[in-house]
Amino acid sequence: MSETDRSSSDADDLAGLLPEHSLLSLEQYLDMQRAIGNETRFRILHFLTEKGAQSAKELEQGLDLPSNTLHYHLDALVTVGLVENRKQKKPNSEGLYSYYQATSLGEGILEHGVRELIREEWDLLDAYSD
């Protein structure tokens, strides 16, 4: 089978996978999946879903990551839409700052992806450990 035949048959297999008027393309969904395939980005997203919105300093301290590493991975998560960077509009005692929070897509990909697989493994271990 030629490469062209394979590509068109692969495309046919994927037809109907997304709703007709999907807000995101398959490539965007795959970009999200690739993003959390990195352990550091997974840890950041997990931390944000567990702790809520955090400043970069809070994330650095909570995850014990150097600032440049943290920002590199935060940028990747923001780019694919799993995390959003919100700017505080009014200064407080510490001045103006931004904070990061998981988006609903970020929470969803964790809950119905890796976390679900981990839960299933625990369930299987419990079921067969007796």
Side-chain angles (χ1 to χ4, degrees):
M1 181 183 285
S2 75
E3 186 64 36
T4 338
D5 293 340
R6 226 184 334 237
S7 320
S8 74
S9 80
D10 288 347
D12 291 342
D13 291 343
L14 297 175
L17 185 62
L18 294 175
E20 184 178 343
H21 300 290
S22 179
L23 297 175
L24 300 174
S25 69
L26 179 58
E27 188 61 34
Q28 289 171 306
Y29 281 111
L30 294 174
D31 286 345
M32 288 178 203
Q33 193 66 45
R34 278 190 286 275
I36 67 155
N38 174 280
E39 184 179 344
T40 301
R41 290 191 287 269
F42 176 83
R43 289 180 55 227
I44 292 168
L45 187 56
H46 175 74
F47 191 83
L48 289 171
T49 60
E50 294 296 311
K51 305 286 186 188
Q54 302 280 304
S55 69
K57 184 56 87 182
E58 291 168 325
L59 285 167
E60 282 176 40
Q61 293 169 347
L63 294 166
D64 193 27
L65 289 172
S67 178
N68 60 337
T69 300
L70 174 69
H71 285 282
Y72 171 80
H73 291 290
L74 277 171
D75 287 347
L77 290 167
V78 168
T79 298
V80 297
L82 298 177
V83 168
E84 61 184 347
N85 182 0
R86 308 284 298 235
K87 309 278 190 232
Q88 186 171 337
K89 293 186 188 326
K90 295 183 181 180
N92 63 14
S93 61
E94 299 171 16
L96 291 172
Y97 74 97
S98 67
Y99 60 93
Y100 296 88
Q101 66 185 40
T103 64
S104 58
L105 287 170
E107 291 175 5
I109 202 166
L110 273 184
E111 188 58 34
H112 302 290
V114 176
R115 285 182 180 163
E116 191 168 309
L117 290 171
I118 292 169
R119 271 194 309 276
E120 287 177 14
E121 181 178 8
W122 276 108
D123 291 346
L124 287 170
L125 287 171
D126 288 344
Y128 291 105
S129 66
D130 295 331

